[in-house]
Amino acid sequence: MQQRASVIESVADRFTRWCEAVVARLPWGLDSVVAPTLLGFGLINSFTFGVDLLLLTVLHGGLGVPIALSITLAYIVAFGLAFVLNRTFNFHSHAPMGKQAAVYAVVVLVNYLAFILGVGSGLTALGVDYHLARLGAGACEAVYMYSAMRWIVFRRRRSADPVATGQRVG
């Protein structure tokens, strides 16, 4: 089990180093604006969004499952996968998973109600193809989810600065 954990860590570390190297090469000073975790989030969530669309197509287009249920089931699978991949490969979190999963569940519920059902189902009701409606909702959710994951779900606790807390240094 220990060997498996170290293999995952080394793959996660390589993923992070690759994201950092790509961001460092961005032109026009964008490297100072774009965080490597934004690139990592984009890659991971593009993959899980593809999983979401594939499941949506199979459920609704192939099996005839009603659109709201198809969206919901595909969404749950994709966001569970996104949580695990972002926690492991992008944000390298070692915090207790239970608390993070609970916070993530609230973030996802808000996202689901506002963007997935609200925007996605709303656009579909207006006659937009369900794939295009899901893409529109996905653009909205990407901004919200990255922000929530970076600054709420996987936020890093700052260690106490001895100077700021008035403690003696040295």
Side-chain angles (χ1 to χ4, degrees):
M1 186 69 168
Q2 182 69 19
Q3 184 179 10
R4 183 173 176 260
S6 66
V7 167
I8 290 172
E9 267 187 44
S10 68
V11 172
D13 291 337
R14 280 191 299 236
F15 178 79
T16 297
R17 284 192 303 275
W18 183 84
C19 289
E20 290 169 344
V22 170
V23 167
R25 289 175 176 79
L26 291 175
W28 308 301
L30 289 173
D31 60 323
S32 64
V33 179
V34 175
T37 56
L38 179 60
L39 175 60
F41 174 85
L43 293 171
I44 289 168
N45 284 58
S46 292
F47 169 73
T48 59
F49 188 65
V51 169
D52 187 335
L53 286 176
L54 177 66
L55 289 173
L56 174 61
T57 301
V58 168
L59 292 170
H60 183 67
L63 300 175
V65 176
I67 190 69
L69 182 57
S70 296
I71 289 171
T72 302
L73 293 173
Y75 181 80
I76 288 169
V77 171
F79 269 82
L81 183 58
F83 174 79
V84 171
L85 293 176
N86 272 296
R87 175 183 161 83
T88 303
F89 292 96
N90 198 32
F91 294 102
H92 298 270
S93 179
H94 298 289
M97 188 181 286
K99 183 177 178 183
Q100 281 182 336
V103 171
Y104 184 72
V106 172
V107 165
V108 167
L109 178 63
V110 169
N111 181 60
Y112 175 75
L113 294 172
F115 301 113
I116 305 309
L117 284 184
V119 174
S121 294
L123 289 173
T124 301
L126 291 172
V128 176
D129 175 76
Y130 68 94
H131 289 104
L132 293 176
R134 185 64 185 91
L135 288 171
C140 296
E141 78 177 287
V143 173
Y144 168 76
M145 287 302 299
Y146 175 72
S147 300
M149 289 176 91
R150 181 170 180 187
W151 291 296
I152 298 171
V153 178
F154 299 119
R155 74 178 179 268
R156 294 199 173 149
R157 302 254 185 234
R158 290 185 175 191
S159 57
D161 178 3
V163 175
T165 58
Q167 298 174 1
R168 285 186 60 171
V169 179

